[in-house]
Amino acid sequence: MPYKILDKKELAMNEVMYKIHAPHVAKKVQPGQFVIVRAFPNGERIPLTPVTWDREEGWITLITFVRGKTTMRMANELKPGDEILNVAGPLGNPAPMEKFGRVLAIGLITGIVEVFPIARAWQEIGNDVTTLHVTPNPMIILKEDFENAVSRHIVEGFDLQPGWGMNEIAQELVKRATAKVRELLENEHFDMVLTVGPAGAQKAIFNVVKEFGIPMHADLHPIMVDATGMCGACRVTVGGEVKFACIDGPGFDAYKVDWDELIHRTGFYAPLERLALEHYLKQLQAQGGEQ
Amino acid sequence: MPRRKLIKERVPTPERPPEERIKDFKEVNLGYTFELAVREAERCLQCPYEYAPCIKGCPVHINIPGFISKLVEYRNDPDKAVKEALNVIWACNSLPATTGRVCPQEDQCEMNCVMGKVGDKINIGKLERFVADYAREKGIDEELLFEIIPKIEKKGQKVAIIGAGPAGLTAAGELAKLGYDVTIYEALHEPGGVLMYGIPEFRLPKEIVHKEIEKLRKLGVRILTDHVVGKTVTIEELLQEYDAVFIGSGAGTPRLVNAPGINLNGIYTANEFLTRVNLMKAYLFPEYDTPVYVGKKVIVIGAGNTAMDAARSARRFGAEVTIAYRRGEEDVSAREEEVEHAKEEGIKFVYFVNPVEFIGDENGKVKAVKFEKMRPLEERDARGKRKIVGTGEYITLEADTVIIAIGKHPNRLIINTPGLKVERGKIVVDENMMTSIPGVFAGGDAIRGEATVILAMGDGRKAAKAIHEYLTKKRQEKANA
């Protein structure tokens, strides 16, 4: 069942927004839920989060971080007016909608896109929400949207140095995020923390939050295939029990998550992911490059 | 009936040799030619319809001697023979190319075949498959379809079907033929359920499933993929739009071994492994984008059909594969043909071992499985299998990939519907396949737990009849009001 791309924009370096006609999702989606997208006939299924939506007009927006074959191929090959083959959802459980009080909602790099619908809804129901976006400077997105939606939006940006790879970016991300979170928690009172982003950085933030004893809700990003609870690829250990993030999550109590296991599992396909990307880059080269 | 000579031996179907077939995912069994099919068909004793034990053994009660006799009767006109035979099969079964391949015939139609008393049983499955394949290749199925379609009388009532697996597809086909406006809600991007994600290409080519489903679309069945009932739409909402609902959502939630280390990297559920391989075609990576990791030493835990499918798939990636089962050889529940094929393909079997721990390396990757050795007791369980007990002795087998194939539960997204009566994870239905919610029917693995394709199809057919009766009453009430 193809879904039309109504609009596509490069919001920042490697950050691409797609506005997609998907009325079945738009009608039902709640903050915290996600969709599974398959863009090409020989493509894989990837989880993405609706950032905004219009129930009446029947569209959702998705923002992808161009980090591997599928997201790069989408960025290169899809144009407004084209169709995405499959958009399944909404999937997962909505984020809890409660009056926590003062909330610190943290998005790491593109994780901020998942924070947006949750933070906005929390603010709307009467929470005092501070959002924090930690990211390389060329990847700052949704700044104005956040400024209009929540009490306070902080951007902790950092410059990319020549020669940095993913590892160096991840290290800097963790350094900046933990320092900023520590500073905020030392100087202000918060009742709840939310994080979305790479498992390693989420774990590092959790270790800081734990010192202050503040409740923390983490949206997890394990590998997913069907995302309807039928395969268990996304299984995580929470409170000593095996949970499937797609139907039991994706949000969990950060104090109960087995972070090291999640980090191991998320990285399992890294070599094959690199191979897929290399294969695609070679194909592009054969076709005469990206232009 | 004319007296004829008994031909005791079954006409064999050609198969690709093991050393060739383990290098790819193409179909193992090549099926009958018309000539071979007629020779096999001639062996059938043509038991009368009311008595024929094969018909009783078939969950959808295909008139087996009826379709077989057409092959013999029109032996000089293959197209006519196949068309007549297909017409007989279609009266009861819309997916014969599939069932002819994946049914456990030895436990069903062929189980009581009279010929078995004097020789080999009739190869009913392969004959059914032949009829469907030949018809498809020659376009005879299309011809027949276009003769059926104009005769359908529209009822003006709508039925929603949840799940496009064998139960849902069968119910949809039957209801469409009866003139109902049918819409299937399917969570995945392709209809077919276990036929698409579970059963490998080398047993059931996906092209064939596509074509069988295409026929249903031509009958007017609408299929909405990417719709997850329970999330995209609820059963309560479906009931506002449709006159009846059928739940055929299957048993898709995998059961996991409750042992330390289950979340180590390299440990898959059979559902994940087979979904990657079959539905996502990970065996064609990187031409297809979905990756799968298969190591050098694979252990598959369990001994059902799913375990055989997973083991034989892993073998095709070049791995050394061992099936580890907690009971003995006589308790294996997979089809005989599949076990035979697995053995021919070099898969090893280890019996009476029960996993107690998965051992990982420093990177969180599985490297071995620790098993407790088991022994059988004389006592038998409810399914007639010998009970087993631990011996307190252990054995550790090396593995860099482990596939868990110990069974599945019905999907939680569906069974959490308010008002839907569920017992031990299975949807409860009455003798008319109706659930605790009026107008909502269910069948297949959603009510049985893990069973077979043909039992699910039998349920779909039975439910379609019950829905027809229910909606006929509704129409009459409306006319009288």
Side-chain angles (χ1 to χ4, degrees):
Chain A
M1 294 224 348
Y3 305 87
K4 196 167 184 179
I5 301 171
L6 304 171
D7 195 11
K8 178 193 171 190
K9 264 193 205 110
E10 193 165 342
L11 300 180
M13 187 186 84
N14 290 338
E15 299 281 8
V16 186
M17 186 278 293
Y18 303 84
K19 181 175 169 185
I20 299 163
H21 182 71
H24 66 304
V25 177
K27 197 175 156 193
K28 278 294 176 68
V29 62
Q30 300 289 339
Q33 291 188 298
F34 62 99
V35 293
I36 284 277
V37 168
R38 192 179 70 115
F40 306 103
N42 59 349
E44 60 180 340
R45 293 164 65 92
I46 61 165
L48 293 170
T49 303
V51 187
T52 57
W53 51 83
D54 188 309
R55 300 209 196 279
E56 259 119 69
E57 291 178 17
W59 52 259
I60 58 171
T61 61
L62 304 172
I63 298 174
T64 65
F65 171 22
V66 180
R67 67 172 290 271
K69 177 176 178 183
T70 296
T71 47
M72 183 178 287
R73 201 173 160 201
M74 286 172 72
N76 282 345
E77 296 177 20
L78 297 176
K79 302 180 298 295
D82 287 350
E83 284 174 337
I84 283 185
L85 291 178
N86 302 97
V87 180
L91 299 166
N93 292 314
M97 281 300 135
E98 288 167 43
K99 275 185 92 166
F100 301 108
R102 291 204 78 217
V103 178
L104 175 61
I106 307 157
L108 305 156
I109 316 181
T110 317
I112 198 68
V113 308
E114 268 183 67
V115 172
F116 184 73
I118 301 173
R120 182 170 63 176
W122 278 354
Q123 181 81 32
E124 272 169 15
I125 61 167
N127 290 293
D128 176 10
V129 180
T130 296
T131 45
L132 169 63
H133 188 195
V134 190
T135 190
N137 280 320
M139 297 182 74
I140 295 170
I141 49 170
L142 301 175
K143 188 165 176 284
E144 267 178 47
D145 304 79
F146 272 103
E147 284 166 357
N148 293 327
V150 297
S151 303
R152 177 176 52 157
H153 182 59
I154 305 166
V155 176
E156 175 74 9
F158 57 88
D159 286 329
L160 293 170
Q161 303 301 325
W164 270 12
M166 284 307 283
N167 280 346
E168 290 78 7
I169 296 173
Q171 279 164 18
E172 186 67 12
L173 179 77
V174 167
K175 201 175 98 193
R176 296 289 185 130
T178 48
K180 190 69 194 175
V181 170
R182 183 174 293 282
E183 179 198 317
L184 284 164
L185 297 186
E186 274 171 357
N187 294 308
E188 297 176 39
H189 168 80
F190 287 98
D191 301 294
M192 169 60 102
V193 175
L194 162 75
T195 55
V196 185
Q202 287 206 70
K203 181 194 169 188
I205 292 173
F206 167 67
N207 284 336
V208 175
V209 173
K210 194 169 62 176
E211 288 175 34
F212 294 84
I214 303 166
M216 180 171 151
H217 180 91
D219 264 18
L220 306 188
H221 287 187
I223 292 169
M224 288 190 184
V225 182
D226 65 281
T228 59
M230 65 164 249
C231 84
C234 67
R235 60 192 194 271
V236 287
T237 302
V238 180
E241 282 177 50
V242 177
K243 299 278 182 192
F244 289 7
C246 70
I247 55 171
D248 298 314
F252 291 100
D253 179 349
Y255 286 79
K256 293 185 176 165
V257 172
D258 183 334
W259 288 101
D260 292 332
E261 180 187 277
L262 177 70
I263 292 165
H264 282 310
R265 287 183 65 82
T266 313
F268 183 47
Y269 280 103
L272 289 174
E273 283 164 5
R274 268 197 301 278
L275 205 105
L277 183 60
E278 280 162 22
H279 178 79
Y280 179 60
L281 293 174
K282 260 185 223 155
Q283 276 180 337
L284 282 182
Q285 256 171 9
Q287 288 161 17
E290 259 179 79
Q291 276 117 34
Chain B
M1 202 181 76
R3 271 185 75 89
R4 61 178 117 178
K5 204 178 115 203
L6 281 180
I7 309 164
K8 288 184 183 169
E9 273 165 36
R10 185 177 265 208
V11 178
T13 45
E15 275 178 4
R16 298 167 61 220
E19 56 281 8
E20 175 195 313
R21 71 192 194 223
I22 59 164
K23 294 188 185 114
D24 61 45
F25 277 76
K26 288 187 210 129
E27 200 167 16
V28 166
N29 189 298
L30 302 170
Y32 283 133
T33 58
F34 182 70
E35 197 205 343
L36 294 176
V38 172
R39 269 172 50 202
E40 179 66 13
E42 278 177 329
R43 296 178 56 236
C44 173
L45 299 176
Q46 289 293 315
C47 305
Y49 180 79
E50 299 72 27
Y51 156 77
C54 55
I55 302 179
K56 293 196 176 76
C58 170
V60 295
H61 307 306
I62 296 172
N63 179 355
I64 293 162
F67 94 76
I68 289 179
S69 71
K70 302 290 182 190
L71 296 176
V72 180
E73 187 179 340
Y74 299 105
R75 61 183 311 154
N76 295 322
D77 184 352
D79 290 10
K80 169 96 174 159
V82 165
K83 188 171 175 181
E84 293 285 330
L86 186 64
N87 200 21
V88 173
I89 295 172
W90 270 7
C92 302
N93 177 6
S94 316
L95 311 168
T98 301
T99 50
R101 286 176 165 82
V102 304
C103 273
Q105 286 95 2
E106 65 271 21
D107 298 326
Q108 294 176 333
C109 56
E110 292 176 16
M111 188 160 77
N112 300 316
C113 174
V114 176
M115 270 303 287
K117 299 206 169 91
V118 289
D120 294 337
K121 293 161 182 177
I122 303 298
N123 200 342
I124 300 166
K126 295 295 189 299
L127 287 175
E128 181 190 30
R129 166 185 162 172
F130 164 77
V131 169
D133 285 356
Y134 184 98
R136 187 180 61 251
E137 280 152 24
K138 291 270 186 137
I140 294 166
D141 51 351
E142 295 275 307
E143 235 176 82
L144 201 55
L145 198 61
F146 286 114
E147 286 171 26
I148 292 170
I149 290 169
K151 293 182 197 151
I152 298 173
E153 199 187 304
K154 288 278 172 196
K155 298 284 195 293
Q157 283 166 302
K158 293 166 75 180
V159 182
I161 305 233
I162 302 169
L169 291 173
T170 302
E174 296 300 312
L175 288 164
K177 280 193 267 180
L178 289 165
Y180 295 98
D181 180 356
V182 181
T183 304
I184 305 183
Y185 288 78
E186 167 57 43
L188 291 175
H189 60 271
E190 296 241 38
V194 76
L195 309 178
M196 285 308 296
Y197 75 76
I199 301 172
E201 294 258 11
F202 53 81
R203 283 215 288 138
L204 177 64
K206 300 305 150 221
E207 215 26 58
I208 288 169
V209 185
H210 279 297
K211 291 205 168 132
E212 293 218 297
I213 291 169
E214 247 352 273
K215 281 189 327 220
L216 295 178
R217 284 208 169 97
K218 284 181 182 145
L219 276 172
V221 174
R222 197 161 66 114
I223 304 178
L224 297 175
T225 55
D226 311 321
H227 281 63
V228 185
V229 174
K231 293 284 179 190
T232 313
V233 63
T234 62
I235 291 177
E236 289 103 309
E237 287 166 321
L238 290 177
L239 277 174
Q240 288 166 16
E241 202 185 325
Y242 294 89
D243 298 287
V245 174
F246 173 74
I247 305 172
S249 51
T253 307
R255 211 172 282 175
L256 286 167
V257 176
N258 185 16
I262 186 70
N263 289 353
L264 287 167
N265 280 338
I267 303 180
Y268 291 98
T269 66
N271 260 14
E272 180 189 351
F273 180 72
L274 291 170
T275 299
R276 284 180 182 271
V277 173
N278 298 324
L279 182 69
M280 306 311 296
K281 296 200 181 339
Y283 64 92
L284 297 175
F285 180 87
E287 296 308 320
Y288 277 69
D289 293 342
T290 304
V292 68
Y293 174 82
V294 185
K296 289 192 173 66
K297 281 191 175 173
V298 177
I299 291 180
V300 177
I301 294 173
N305 286 316
T306 309
M308 297 306 141
D309 285 344
R312 295 175 65 199
S313 296
R315 184 82 183 103
R316 281 158 172 75
F317 285 84
E320 188 186 295
V321 183
T322 303
I323 287 180
Y325 184 38
R326 64 196 178 116
R327 299 173 193 266
E329 187 163 13
E330 64 164 271
D331 304 299
V332 167
S333 61
R335 291 190 59 192
E336 284 165 30
E337 187 183 343
E338 306 314 323
V339 176
E340 250 348 280
H341 280 153
K343 286 179 180 165
E344 286 168 14
E345 289 167 8
I347 288 158
K348 284 185 262 173
F349 286 73
V350 178
Y351 298 106
F352 295 112
V353 288
N354 195 31
V356 290
E357 189 187 348
F358 301 96
I359 301 159
D361 64 16
E362 61 285 358
N363 297 316
K365 167 102 199 321
V366 70
K367 65 174 184 185
V369 185
K370 185 179 173 191
F371 293 94
E372 181 173 11
K373 291 187 182 171
M374 310 300 282
R375 70 180 170 79
L377 299 173
E378 283 308 308
E379 212 184 322
R380 289 181 184 262
D381 68 10
R383 291 178 304 165
K385 288 187 177 184
R386 285 178 297 175
K387 287 191 174 172
I388 42 169
V389 284
T391 59
E393 279 177 58
Y394 296 89
I395 173 178
T396 299
L397 300 177
E398 269 180 52
D400 47 13
T401 303
V402 175
I403 302 170
I404 312 284
I406 58 163
K408 294 165 223 155
H409 297 294
N411 195 304
R412 274 191 279 153
L413 289 181
I414 297 287
I415 61 179
N416 287 344
T417 299
L420 189 67
K421 194 176 169 201
V422 173
E423 267 170 23
R424 277 175 295 158
K426 294 174 218 165
I427 297 171
V428 178
V429 293
D430 65 15
E431 66 282 4
N432 292 317
M433 317 291 282
M434 206 197 283
T435 67
S436 53
I437 305 175
V440 178
F441 299 75
D445 286 2
I447 64 167
R448 295 173 178 274
E450 200 181 7
T452 62
V453 167
I454 192 69
L455 284 175
M457 289 174 59
D459 286 350
R461 193 172 148 74
K462 198 173 156 200
K465 275 191 182 157
I467 291 169
H468 178 45
E469 276 166 31
Y470 172 82
L471 293 180
T472 304
K473 215 183 266 171
K474 244 185 158 182
R475 276 198 308 280
Q476 283 162 352
E477 279 165 15
K478 213 178 163 191
N480 295 338

